[in-house]
Amino acid sequence: MQKKIIIIVICAILVILLSVVVIFNKDKKLENTENSNNYSVIYDKGGIIRDDMSKQNEITEVIEDTVVQGMVELNYNGYIYIFNGQHFGEYGFQMDEYTRANIENKNQECIDYYTSEKYDTSYIQEGDIIICKGDLKKYSIRENELDTKDNAIIVLKSDDYNKMKKDVLNGDSKYSSELIIGDIYPESGYIYLKYSLYDNTNSDTEYNFPFAVKAYITENTQIIGNLQNGKIVKVQYENSNVSLDELKLKSIEIIED
């Protein structure tokens, strides 16, 4: 009799263990199914490397044969990722003139903006500005994609771009430029200022390579007028030979429209 009871108990334990395993596997499958329906993206250094989305990648719009430009965030793992603005640490400032998109690296021909010398896509690095023509595919959730087709990519190297920025800050007249207030953060004591940078010195086409600076308002800053987003301004810096996120305003004046 005791032996029968022991056998029954053992069988009951085995049934319970088997039920737990079945339920666990069912939950795991459900979890995996749910995850496969979600948009998942793998990030590295703040940029998208690979898109793992298997669903909800419906194209909402295709703009054919359009010219876009953007700042390179990454050139890695078969994709070139361009950003539609400029980072300042974990924050940043977006600009309508730039496009956010993923570009498949098909080893397209690259042409240096200044020298017109030709390279492969290994020439493209973080911080460069690239200009390219192709079909821009816009998706409902995932990042936009640009198919460059057989078109070459124009590359404005970051060192050349930074020199152009410094020339504008120092009042070099060879570039046409306008300065507006981007965003104001009074509680933090700084504002984003957006410079346009029109250049046609290297081709018949005039390009605009806008950039932003993070400028601090100190107790010594002379403010003339009412600071508002989008207003055209004229500024003086205490020292313009510092990085673009360390500028201190000596004066800022609103230029009325």
Side-chain angles (χ1 to χ4, degrees):
M1 184 70 180
Q2 187 176 3
K3 193 173 182 179
K4 279 188 178 182
I5 294 173
I6 293 173
I7 293 172
I8 292 171
V9 170
I10 291 173
C11 290
I13 292 172
L14 288 174
V15 169
I16 293 170
L17 288 174
L18 183 60
S19 300
V20 169
V21 170
V22 170
I23 293 170
F24 177 82
N25 286 335
K26 183 183 288 188
D27 289 342
K28 198 68 180 175
K29 286 180 181 178
L30 179 60
E31 180 184 347
N32 290 336
T33 302
E34 290 173 348
N35 286 340
S36 68
N37 291 335
N38 290 334
Y39 176 48
S40 99
V41 178
I42 296 176
Y43 286 88
D44 185 8
K45 295 183 182 178
I48 293 177
I49 295 174
R50 186 173 72 254
D51 184 350
D52 285 341
M53 183 176 64
S54 60
K55 201 175 179 183
Q56 299 186 34
N57 60 346
E58 297 89 352
I59 297 174
T60 59
E61 183 182 9
V62 177
I63 306 175
E64 296 182 347
D65 294 324
T66 185
V67 176
V68 305
Q69 63 186 50
M71 182 174 291
V72 177
E73 293 255 275
L74 281 174
N75 180 5
Y76 182 76
N77 202 27
Y79 280 92
I80 302 162
Y81 178 69
I82 57 175
F83 179 59
N84 58 335
Q86 197 171 325
H87 284 305
F88 292 94
E90 60 182 296
Y91 300 104
F93 182 75
Q94 296 185 9
M95 290 170 265
D96 294 336
E97 294 84 354
Y98 293 132
T99 298
R100 185 185 186 104
N102 290 326
I103 302 170
E104 185 179 355
N105 188 338
K106 298 182 286 188
N107 206 28
Q108 298 93 325
E109 180 180 78
C110 294
I111 303 172
D112 185 275
Y113 177 79
Y114 269 107
T115 67
S116 297
E117 293 183 11
K118 297 180 180 180
Y119 301 88
D120 60 27
T121 49
S122 64
Y123 191 61
I124 298 173
Q125 297 176 324
E126 182 179 341
D128 296 345
I129 296 290
I130 62 173
I131 307 163
C132 41
K133 183 178 181 179
D135 294 344
L136 182 64
K137 300 176 183 178
K138 295 187 176 183
Y139 291 86
S140 56
I141 294 179
R142 66 187 292 179
E143 294 292 340
N144 298 335
E145 290 184 354
L146 180 74
D147 180 4
T148 59
K149 299 189 281 191
D150 295 324
N151 298 314
I153 299 174
I154 299 173
V155 184
L156 173 60
K157 298 301 292 179
S158 59
D159 287 346
D160 293 327
Y161 185 37
N162 289 335
K163 185 179 183 304
M164 294 168 74
K165 295 176 188 177
K166 287 296 183 183
D167 288 342
V168 169
L169 289 176
N170 292 326
D172 193 322
S173 60
K174 71 180 177 182
Y175 301 118
S176 174
S177 182
E178 183 179 73
L179 176 61
I180 66 170
I181 295 176
D183 289 318
I184 304 172
Y185 297 91
E187 68 283 354
S188 300
Y190 68 83
I191 62 176
Y192 286 142
L193 298 173
K194 177 187 173 185
Y195 285 85
S196 57
L197 196 169
Y198 292 97
D199 178 51
N200 61 358
T201 57
N202 293 285
S203 69
D204 295 332
T205 302
E206 184 177 64
Y207 293 101
N208 181 17
F209 302 115
F211 65 96
V213 303
K214 184 178 180 180
Y216 289 88
I217 297 173
T218 70
E219 58 183 14
N220 298 320
T221 302
Q222 182 183 16
I223 301 174
I224 304 171
N226 185 25
L227 301 183
Q228 296 179 33
N229 287 359
K231 287 289 187 179
I232 301 172
V233 293
K234 181 169 66 175
V235 303
Q236 283 186 310
Y237 299 110
E238 292 182 7
N239 180 7
S240 62
N241 295 316
V242 297
S243 67
L244 298 182
D245 58 354
E246 295 179 347
L247 291 163
K248 293 181 180 180
L249 287 163
K250 183 176 181 181
S251 67
I252 178 168
E253 179 181 359
I254 300 296
I255 307 298
E256 297 297 334
D257 298 339

